[in-house]
Coordinates of all heavy atoms in Angstrom, one line a residue:
S11 N 125.2 103.8 118.3 CA 125.4 104.0 116.8 C 124.2 103.5 116.1 O 123.4 102.7 116.6 CB 126.7 103.4 116.4 OG 126.6 102.0 116.5
T12 N 124.0 104.0 114.9 CA 123.0 103.6 113.9 C 123.4 103.9 112.5 O 124.1 104.9 112.3 CB 121.6 104.2 114.3 OG1 120.6 103.6 113.4 CG2 121.6 105.7 114.2
Y13 N 122.9 103.2 111.6 CA 123.0 103.5 110.2 C 121.7 103.8 109.5 O 121.5 104.8 108.8 CB 123.8 102.4 109.4 CG 124.4 102.9 108.1 CD1 125.7 103.4 108.0 CD2 123.5 103.0 107.0 CE1 126.2 103.9 106.8 CE2 124.1 103.6 105.8 CZ 125.4 104.0 105.7 OH 125.9 104.5 104.6
V14 N 120.7 102.9 109.8 CA 119.3 103.1 109.4 C 118.4 102.8 110.5 O 118.6 101.9 111.3 CB 119.0 102.1 108.2 CG1 117.5 102.2 107.8 CG2 119.9 102.3 107.0
M15 N 117.4 103.7 110.7 CA 116.3 103.5 111.6 C 115.1 103.2 110.9 O 114.7 103.9 109.9 CB 116.2 104.7 112.5 CG 117.3 105.0 113.4 SD 117.7 103.7 114.6 CE 116.1 103.8 115.6
G16 N 114.4 102.2 111.3 CA 113.1 101.8 110.6 C 112.0 101.6 111.6 O 112.1 101.5 112.8
W17 N 110.8 101.8 111.0 CA 109.5 101.5 111.7 C 108.8 100.3 111.1 O 108.7 100.2 109.8 CB 108.6 102.7 111.6 CG 108.9 103.9 112.5 CD1 109.6 105.0 112.1 CD2 108.6 104.0 113.9 NE1 109.8 105.8 113.2 CE2 109.1 105.2 114.3 CE3 107.9 103.2 114.8 CZ2 109.0 105.7 115.6 CZ3 107.8 103.6 116.1 CH2 108.3 104.9 116.5
F18 N 108.4 99.4 111.9 CA 107.6 98.2 111.5 C 106.4 98.2 112.3 O 106.3 98.8 113.4 CB 108.4 96.9 111.7 CG 109.6 96.8 110.8 CD1 110.8 97.5 111.0 CD2 109.5 95.9 109.7 CE1 111.8 97.3 110.1 CE2 110.6 95.7 108.8 CZ 111.7 96.4 109.0
R19 N 105.4 97.4 111.9 CA 104.2 97.3 112.6 C 103.7 95.8 112.5 O 104.0 95.1 111.6 CB 103.1 98.2 112.2 CG 102.6 98.0 110.8 CD 101.6 99.1 110.4 NE 101.0 98.8 109.0 CZ 100.2 99.7 108.4 NH1 99.9 100.9 109.0 NH2 99.8 99.4 107.2
Q20 N 103.0 95.4 113.6 CA 102.5 94.0 113.6 C 101.1 94.1 114.2 O 100.9 94.5 115.4 CB 103.4 93.1 114.4 CG 103.0 91.7 114.3 CD 104.1 90.7 114.8 OE1 105.0 91.2 115.5 NE2 104.1 89.5 114.3
A21 N 100.1 93.6 113.4 CA 98.7 93.4 113.9 C 98.5 92.0 114.3 O 99.2 91.1 113.9 CB 97.8 93.8 112.8
P22 N 97.5 91.8 115.2 CA 97.3 90.4 115.6 C 97.0 89.5 114.5 O 96.2 89.8 113.6 CB 96.0 90.5 116.5 CG 96.1 92.0 117.0 CD 96.7 92.7 115.8
G23 N 97.7 88.3 114.5 CA 97.5 87.3 113.5 C 98.3 87.6 112.2 O 98.1 86.9 111.2
K24 N 99.0 88.7 112.1 CA 99.7 89.1 110.9 C 101.2 89.1 111.1 O 101.7 89.2 112.3 CB 99.2 90.4 110.4 CG 97.8 90.4 110.0 CD 97.4 91.8 109.4 CE 98.0 92.0 108.1 NZ 97.6 93.3 107.4
E25 N 102.0 89.1 110.0 CA 103.4 89.2 110.1 C 103.8 90.6 110.4 O 103.1 91.5 110.1 CB 104.1 88.7 108.9 CG 103.9 87.2 108.6 CD 104.6 86.8 107.3 OE1 105.0 87.6 106.5 OE2 104.8 85.5 107.1
R26 N 105.0 90.7 111.0 CA 105.5 92.1 111.2 C 105.9 92.6 109.8 O 106.6 92.0 109.0 CB 106.8 92.0 112.1 CG 107.3 93.4 112.5 CD 108.3 93.3 113.6 NE 107.7 92.7 114.8 CZ 108.4 92.6 116.0 NH1 109.6 93.1 116.1 NH2 107.8 92.1 117.0
E27 N 105.4 93.8 109.5 CA 105.6 94.4 108.2 C 106.3 95.8 108.3 O 106.2 96.5 109.2 CB 104.3 94.6 107.5 CG 103.3 95.6 108.1 CD 102.1 95.9 107.2 OE1 102.0 95.4 106.1 OE2 101.2 96.5 107.8
F28 N 107.1 96.0 107.2 CA 107.8 97.3 107.1 C 106.9 98.4 106.9 O 105.9 98.3 106.1 CB 108.8 97.2 105.9 CG 109.4 98.4 105.5 CD1 110.5 98.9 106.3 CD2 109.0 99.1 104.4 CE1 111.1 100.1 105.9 CE2 109.7 100.3 104.0 CZ 110.7 100.8 104.8
V29 N 107.2 99.5 107.5 CA 106.4 100.8 107.4 C 107.2 101.9 106.7 O 106.8 102.4 105.7 CB 105.9 101.2 108.7 CG1 105.1 102.6 108.6 CG2 104.9 100.2 109.3
A30 N 108.3 102.2 107.3 CA 109.2 103.3 106.8 C 110.6 103.1 107.4 O 110.8 102.5 108.4 CB 108.6 104.7 107.2
A31 N 111.6 103.8 106.7 CA 112.9 103.8 107.2 C 113.6 105.1 106.8 O 113.2 105.7 105.8 CB 113.7 102.5 106.7
I32 N 114.6 105.4 107.5 CA 115.4 106.6 107.2 C 116.9 106.3 107.4 O 117.3 105.7 108.4 CB 114.9 107.8 108.0 CG1 115.6 109.1 107.5 CG2 115.1 107.6 109.5 CD1 115.0 110.3 108.1
A33 N 117.7 106.7 106.5 CA 119.2 106.6 106.6 C 119.6 107.8 107.5 O 119.3 108.9 107.3 CB 119.9 106.8 105.2
W34 N 120.3 107.4 108.6 CA 120.6 108.4 109.6 C 121.5 109.5 109.1 O 121.2 110.7 109.5 CB 121.3 107.7 110.8 CG 121.2 108.5 112.0 CD1 122.2 109.1 112.7 CD2 120.0 108.7 112.8 NE1 121.8 109.8 113.8 CE2 120.4 109.6 113.9 CE3 118.7 108.3 112.7 CZ2 119.5 110.0 114.8 CZ3 117.8 108.8 113.7 CH2 118.2 109.6 114.7
G35 N 122.5 109.2 108.4 CA 123.4 110.2 107.9 C 122.9 111.1 106.8 O 122.8 112.4 107.0
G36 N 122.4 110.5 105.8 CA 122.0 111.3 104.6 C 120.5 111.7 104.6 O 120.1 112.6 103.9
G37 N 119.7 111.0 105.4 CA 118.3 111.3 105.5 C 117.4 110.7 104.4 O 116.2 111.1 104.4
S38 N 117.9 109.8 103.6 CA 117.0 109.2 102.6 C 115.9 108.4 103.3 O 116.1 107.8 104.3 CB 117.8 108.3 101.7 OG 118.8 109.0 101.0
T39 N 114.7 108.5 102.7 CA 113.6 107.8 103.3 C 113.0 106.8 102.4 O 113.1 106.9 101.2 CB 112.5 108.9 103.6 OG1 112.1 109.6 102.5 CG2 113.0 109.9 104.7
Y40 N 112.3 105.8 103.0 CA 111.7 104.7 102.3 C 110.4 104.4 103.0 O 110.3 104.4 104.2 CB 112.6 103.5 102.3 CG 114.1 103.8 102.0 CD1 115.0 104.3 102.9 CD2 114.5 103.6 100.6 CE1 116.3 104.6 102.5 CE2 115.8 104.0 100.3 CZ 116.7 104.4 101.2 OH 118.0 104.7 100.9
Y41 N 109.3 104.1 102.1 CA 108.0 103.9 102.7 C 107.4 102.6 102.0 O 107.6 102.3 100.8 CB 107.1 105.0 102.4 CG 107.5 106.3 103.1 CD1 108.3 107.3 102.5 CD2 107.1 106.6 104.4 CE1 108.6 108.4 103.1 CE2 107.4 107.7 105.0 CZ 108.2 108.7 104.4 OH 108.6 109.8 105.0
A42 N 106.6 102.0 102.8 CA 105.7 100.9 102.3 C 104.6 101.6 101.4 O 104.2 102.7 101.7 CB 105.1 100.1 103.4
D43 N 104.2 100.9 100.4 CA 103.1 101.4 99.5 C 101.9 101.7 100.3 O 101.2 102.7 100.0 CB 102.8 100.4 98.4 CG 103.9 100.3 97.4 OD1 104.8 101.2 97.3 OD2 103.9 99.3 96.7
S44 N 101.6 101.0 101.3 CA 100.4 101.2 102.1 C 100.3 102.5 102.9 O 99.2 102.9 103.3 CB 100.1 100.0 103.0 OG 101.2 99.8 103.9
V45 N 101.4 103.1 103.1 CA 101.5 104.3 103.9 C 102.0 105.5 103.2 O 102.0 106.6 103.7 CB 102.3 104.1 105.2 CG1 101.8 102.9 106.0 CG2 103.8 104.0 104.9
K46 N 102.4 105.4 101.9 CA 102.9 106.5 101.2 C 101.8 107.6 101.0 O 100.7 107.3 100.8 CB 103.3 106.0 99.7 CG 104.6 105.3 99.7 CD 105.0 104.9 98.3 CE 106.3 104.2 98.2 NZ 106.6 103.7 96.8

């Protein structure tokens, strides 16, 4: 099961940061400003 699937990324020496996410049922999407 899932409700939201997300993508994160982590570069060496940096914190893990949010990239994008999608609501599984409805398909609503969310993006970090850096990748929009």
Side-chain angles (χ1 to χ4, degrees):
S11 63
T12 184
Y13 200 95
V14 176
M15 295 296 297
W17 285 98
F18 290 76
R19 66 187 183 185
Q20 187 166 23
K24 298 183 67 177
E25 295 182 343
R26 188 168 298 188
E27 66 173 351
F28 171 76
V29 176
I32 186 166
W34 198 252
S38 299
T39 58
Y40 311 86
Y41 295 95
D43 289 341
S44 60
V45 306
K46 285 181 180 178

